[in-house]
Amino acid sequence: MTKDQARKIIKEQKLSMGERLVILGHHYQSDEIIEFADYVGDSLELSRKVSQLDKAEKIIFCGVYFMAETASVLAPDKEVYIPDPKAGCPLADMAGIRDVEHAWDVIGRISSSVVPITYVNSSVEVKAFCGMNGGVVCTSGNAARVFMWAMERASKVLFMPDRNLGRNTAISLGLKDNEIIEWDPSAKDGGVDEAGIKRARAILWRGWCPVHWPKLRPEDVNSIRQREPGIKVIVHPEADPLTVSKSDAAGSTAQILDYVKSLGKGSSVAVGTEFNMVNRLSMDFRPNVRVLPLNKVLCEDMARITPDKLAQCLVDPDDSQRVRVDATIADNAVKALDRMLKI
Ligand code: 13P
Ligand code: SF4
């Protein structure tokens, strides 16, 4: 299928289905997909949107699999599709449910006062685990609020799967270095000892996003500040804590967009996140604000969603594109998601 054919099909389908069809697009999608998205947002905004789509019958999620899975859990009465089910998230894959259950058992033998928090970039099974154990989901846009909620209820949090978002959030809430430990799922019993678990207020799963870490380095912030005196720097909190500490701000993709919007005419800003978004910001805000990439980083999984796959998914979806979640797992995952949406 050529690009023009794909565009024609997508336009026709949108016209004929009207409000019964909703196409959601994450900020990291390419311009050729964003052009057709009814809503564009970060993970939190898109999750909230899904729960409000009364007239929609069919939701096409242009993003990665855990996002479509979350949409399906939040809108069980709708048909949710993803144009390429192979669009996964390596970060989400770093926390397997069996490893999470093992960590919970080991930690539970030492302390009974732990709230599990999972970043939305995780499997639905890990979300369900949190739902069943008094825990909650968070996104990069609300992690600090969710941590505070959890820390009012227990002496520790177990945060999965992103070590950087976990550490950046814990630091922003004033936790000391010795109150933060990491659970390494590849080491025996996480590679932590009893004293470490007893002392910790935040136990962070050792997982990371290969797009944001270690590629967005503290040296990148130093060098752009040298080349462009006066430039502002904002990064996604999946970046290294040292990179975050050298930046002017850190936030989810929606918060990055708001930050760029808030800058005055003539400002320059370096943005440390996926290049599709940074490039779009630089087009949308010129000539008033000059937007530069802190480093050009691309998410290959997001890039799997292309107009031809979207067109095919609209007219003749195959079963693998339909996102279905087991009812019991969904019921438990929704508990953790609902807690987040209320915080
Ligand atoms: P946001 O929630 O900030 O949109 O981020 C999602 C993501 O996958 C970042 O890598
Ligand atoms: Fe996953 Fe990183 Fe891609 Fe986001 S940018 S979807 S965290 S791999």
Side-chain angles (χ1 to χ4, degrees):
M1 192 187 307
T2 66
K3 270 192 184 161
D4 284 345
Q5 284 168 330
R7 297 184 77 233
K8 187 166 173 283
I9 293 172
I10 301 167
K11 280 185 185 161
E12 283 167 3
Q13 287 294 312
K14 281 179 71 99
L15 211 60
S16 78
M17 285 198 69
E19 287 183 283
R20 290 180 297 126
L21 167 70
V22 173
I23 300 179
L24 301 175
H26 185 265
H27 283 300
Y28 294 165
Q29 290 291 296
S30 66
D31 291 345
E32 345 176 86
I33 293 292
I34 293 296
E35 175 188 351
F36 298 112
D38 298 296
Y39 300 99
V40 180
D42 70 0
S43 309
L44 178 60
E45 288 173 324
L46 294 175
S47 300
R48 285 195 196 283
K49 187 47 77 186
V50 167
S51 4
Q52 297 157 7
L53 297 173
D54 296 334
K55 294 192 183 136
E57 290 165 16
K58 190 169 180 177
I59 296 171
I60 312 274
F61 209 119
C62 296
V64 292
Y65 201 81
F66 75 80
M67 296 179 176
E69 218 172 37
T70 305
S72 159
V73 165
L74 289 171
D77 55 326
K78 320 239 187 287
E79 288 180 19
V80 177
Y81 294 85
I82 182 163
D84 186 340
K86 289 203 186 86
C89 170
L91 167 60
D93 293 343
M94 287 182 200
I97 184 63
R98 297 285 161 260
D99 288 342
V100 168
E101 285 166 347
H102 173 67
W104 187 247
D105 280 350
V106 173
I107 296 165
R109 273 182 242 132
I110 297 162
S111 170
S112 56
S113 181
V114 191
V115 170
I117 306 175
T118 187
Y119 187 24
V120 70
N121 298 39
S122 56
S123 70
V124 71
E125 287 81 9
V126 172
K127 292 181 181 79
F129 170 88
C130 288
M132 279 188 294
N133 289 288
V136 58
V137 174
C138 80
T139 74
S140 50
N142 62 15
R145 281 206 314 277
V146 171
F147 258 62
M148 285 194 282
W149 176 91
M151 291 173 88
E152 279 162 15
R153 283 160 179 79
S155 62
K156 312 179 192 299
V157 299
L158 167 64
F159 179 76
M160 301 158 292
D162 188 35
R163 65 194 297 224
N164 293 316
L165 176 61
R167 192 169 292 270
N168 285 320
T169 307
I171 293 172
S172 77
L173 294 176
L175 266 67
K176 307 272 177 305
D177 250 4
N178 67 353
E179 295 174 319
I180 306 170
I181 62 166
E182 287 193 11
W183 179 278
D184 179 354
S186 66
K188 184 173 176 337
D189 288 348
V192 294
D193 59 13
E194 191 171 331
I197 294 178
K198 281 194 172 142
R199 189 183 66 236
R201 294 181 66 205
I203 305 169
L204 312 178
W205 198 263
R206 191 171 291 172
W208 60 89
C209 159
V211 176
H212 290 88
W213 190 85
K215 292 178 190 156
L216 299 169
R217 300 163 310 164
E219 304 89 272
D220 297 328
V221 182
N222 294 344
S223 79
I224 203 144
R225 288 204 195 277
Q226 247 165 26
R227 274 182 282 132
E228 305 274 346
I231 196 167
K232 296 282 183 199
V233 180
I234 181 162
V235 295
H236 195 279
E238 288 170 12
D240 193 284
L242 213 56
T243 306
V244 170
S245 73
K246 284 179 175 282
S247 302
D248 297 288
S252 74
T253 52
Q255 289 164 339
I256 291 174
L257 173 62
D258 287 344
Y259 186 84
V260 176
K261 270 188 201 159
S262 75
L263 295 173
K265 211 170 167 175
S267 316
S268 295
V269 59
V271 178
T273 198
E274 213 275 345
F275 185 69
N276 274 298
M277 177 174 185
V278 182
N279 195 41
R280 194 170 310 115
L281 289 173
S282 87
M283 300 295 180
D284 291 351
F285 286 88
R286 76 171 159 206
N288 291 344
V289 177
R290 200 157 65 100
V291 180
L292 305 173
L294 181 62
N295 194 350
K296 188 174 170 182
V297 292
L298 286 158
C299 177
E300 287 170 19
D301 284 279
M302 287 280 179
R304 281 181 167 274
I305 311 297
T306 53
D308 58 319
K309 289 180 197 165
L310 173 57
Q312 174 268 321
C313 185
L314 282 166
V315 287
D316 185 22
D318 61 55
D319 202 47
S320 69
Q321 290 168 313
R322 176 81 193 272
V323 181
R324 288 191 179 86
V325 177
D326 169 87
T328 313
I329 293 178
D331 281 353
N332 286 317
V334 96
K335 287 181 197 156
L337 284 159
D338 274 349
R339 283 184 195 124
M340 170 184 83
L341 293 172
K342 287 187 188 123
I343 292 174

Coordinates of all heavy atoms in Angstrom, one line a residue, residues 26-28 41-44 66-67 119-121 139-141 209 212 236 238 251-254 302, ligand 1:
H26 N 0.1 8.8 20.9 CA 1.1 9.3 21.9 C 2.0 10.3 21.3 O 2.3 10.3 20.1 CB 1.9 8.1 22.5 CG 2.8 8.5 23.6 ND1 4.1 8.8 23.4 CD2 2.5 8.7 24.9 CE1 4.6 9.2 24.5 NE2 3.7 9.1 25.5
H27 N 2.5 11.2 22.1 CA 3.4 12.3 21.6 C 4.6 11.8 20.8 O 5.2 12.5 20.0 CB 4.0 13.1 22.8 CG 3.0 14.1 23.3 ND1 2.4 15.1 22.6 CD2 2.5 14.2 24.6 CE1 1.6 15.8 23.3 NE2 1.6 15.3 24.6
Y28 N 5.0 10.5 21.0 CA 6.2 10.0 20.3 C 5.9 9.5 18.9 O 6.8 8.9 18.2 CB 6.9 8.9 21.1 CG 7.5 9.3 22.4 CD1 7.8 8.3 23.4 CD2 7.7 10.6 22.7 CE1 8.4 8.7 24.6 CE2 8.3 11.0 23.9 CZ 8.6 10.0 24.9 OH 9.2 10.3 26.1
G41 N -1.5 12.9 23.4 CA -1.2 13.2 24.8 C -0.1 12.3 25.4 O 0.5 11.5 24.7
D42 N 0.1 12.5 26.7 CA 1.0 11.6 27.4 C 0.2 10.5 27.9 O -1.0 10.4 27.7 CB 1.8 12.4 28.5 CG 1.0 12.8 29.7 OD1 -0.3 12.5 29.7 OD2 1.5 13.4 30.6
S43 N 0.9 9.5 28.6 CA 0.2 8.3 29.0 C -1.0 8.7 29.9 O -2.1 8.1 29.8 CB 1.1 7.4 29.7 OG 2.3 7.2 29.0
L44 N -0.8 9.6 30.8 CA -1.9 10.0 31.8 C -3.1 10.6 31.1 O -4.2 10.2 31.3 CB -1.3 10.9 32.8 CG -2.3 11.4 33.9 CD1 -2.9 10.2 34.7 CD2 -1.7 12.4 34.9
F66 N 1.6 -1.6 26.0 CA 1.0 -1.4 27.4 C 0.0 -0.3 27.4 O -0.9 -0.3 28.2 CB 2.2 -1.2 28.4 CG 2.8 0.2 28.4 CD1 2.2 1.3 28.9 CD2 4.0 0.4 27.7 CE1 2.7 2.6 28.9 CE2 4.6 1.7 27.7 CZ 4.0 2.7 28.3
M67 N 0.2 0.7 26.5 CA -0.8 1.8 26.5 C -2.2 1.3 25.9 O -3.2 1.7 26.5 CB -0.3 2.9 25.5 CG 1.0 3.6 26.1 SD 1.6 4.8 25.0 CE 3.0 5.4 25.9
Y119 N 4.9 1.9 37.5 CA 4.8 2.9 36.4 C 3.9 2.3 35.3 O 3.8 1.1 35.2 CB 6.2 3.1 35.8 CG 6.5 4.1 34.8 CD1 5.7 5.3 34.7 CD2 7.6 4.0 34.0 CE1 6.0 6.2 33.7 CE2 7.9 5.0 33.0 CZ 7.1 6.1 32.9 OH 7.4 7.0 32.0
V120 N 3.1 3.2 34.6 CA 2.2 2.7 33.6 C 2.9 1.9 32.6 O 2.3 1.0 31.9 CB 1.3 3.9 33.1 CG1 2.2 4.8 32.2 CG2 0.1 3.4 32.3
N121 N 4.2 2.1 32.4 CA 5.0 1.4 31.4 C 5.3 0.0 32.0 O 6.4 -0.3 32.5 CB 6.3 2.1 31.1 CG 6.1 3.4 30.5 OD1 5.2 4.2 30.8 ND2 7.0 3.8 29.5
T139 N 2.2 7.6 36.4 CA 2.8 7.9 35.2 C 3.9 8.9 35.5 O 4.1 9.3 36.6 CB 1.8 8.6 34.2 OG1 1.6 9.9 34.6 CG2 0.5 7.8 34.1
S140 N 4.7 9.3 34.5 CA 5.7 10.3 34.7 C 5.1 11.6 35.1 O 5.8 12.5 35.6 CB 6.6 10.4 33.5 OG 5.9 10.6 32.4
G141 N 3.8 11.8 34.8 CA 3.2 13.1 35.1 C 2.7 13.2 36.5 O 2.4 14.3 37.0
C209 N 14.6 2.7 30.5 CA 14.2 2.9 29.2 C 15.5 3.1 28.3 O 16.2 4.1 28.5 CB 13.3 4.1 29.0 SG 13.2 4.7 27.3
H212 N 15.9 6.6 26.8 CA 16.3 7.8 27.6 C 17.5 7.6 28.5 O 18.0 8.5 29.1 CB 15.1 8.1 28.6 CG 13.9 8.7 27.9 ND1 12.9 7.9 27.3 CD2 13.6 10.0 27.6 CE1 12.0 8.7 26.7 NE2 12.4 10.0 26.9
H236 N 12.9 14.2 30.1 CA 11.9 13.3 30.6 C 12.5 12.6 31.9 O 13.7 12.4 31.9 CB 11.6 12.2 29.5 CG 10.4 11.5 29.8 ND1 10.4 10.4 30.7 CD2 9.1 11.6 29.4 CE1 9.1 9.9 30.8 NE2 8.3 10.7 30.0
E238 N 12.7 9.7 32.8 CA 13.3 8.4 32.6 C 14.8 8.6 32.4 O 15.5 7.6 32.2 CB 12.7 7.7 31.4 CG 11.3 7.2 31.7 CD 10.6 6.7 30.5 OE1 11.2 6.5 29.4 OE2 9.4 6.5 30.5
G251 N 9.9 16.4 33.2 CA 8.4 16.1 33.2 C 8.0 15.2 32.1 O 8.8 14.8 31.2
S252 N 6.8 14.8 32.2 CA 6.2 13.9 31.3 C 6.1 14.6 29.9 O 6.4 15.8 29.8 CB 4.8 13.5 31.7 OG 3.9 14.6 31.5
T253 N 5.7 13.9 28.9 CA 5.7 14.5 27.6 C 4.7 15.7 27.5 O 5.0 16.7 26.9 CB 5.4 13.5 26.5 OG1 4.2 12.8 26.8 CG2 6.5 12.5 26.3
A254 N 3.6 15.5 28.3 CA 2.6 16.7 28.3 C 3.2 17.8 29.1 O 3.0 19.0 28.7 CB 1.3 16.2 28.9
M302 N 7.8 2.7 19.1 CA 6.8 3.7 18.7 C 6.7 3.8 17.2 O 5.7 4.0 16.6 CB 7.1 5.1 19.3 CG 6.9 5.2 20.8 SD 5.1 5.4 21.1 CE 5.1 5.5 22.9
Ligands
13P1 P1 4.8 9.9 29.0 O1 3.8 9.4 30.0 O2 5.6 11.1 29.6 O3 4.0 10.3 27.8 O4 5.9 8.9 28.7 C1 5.6 7.6 28.2 C2 6.9 7.0 27.7 O5 6.8 5.9 27.2 C3 8.1 7.7 27.9 O6 9.2 7.0 27.4

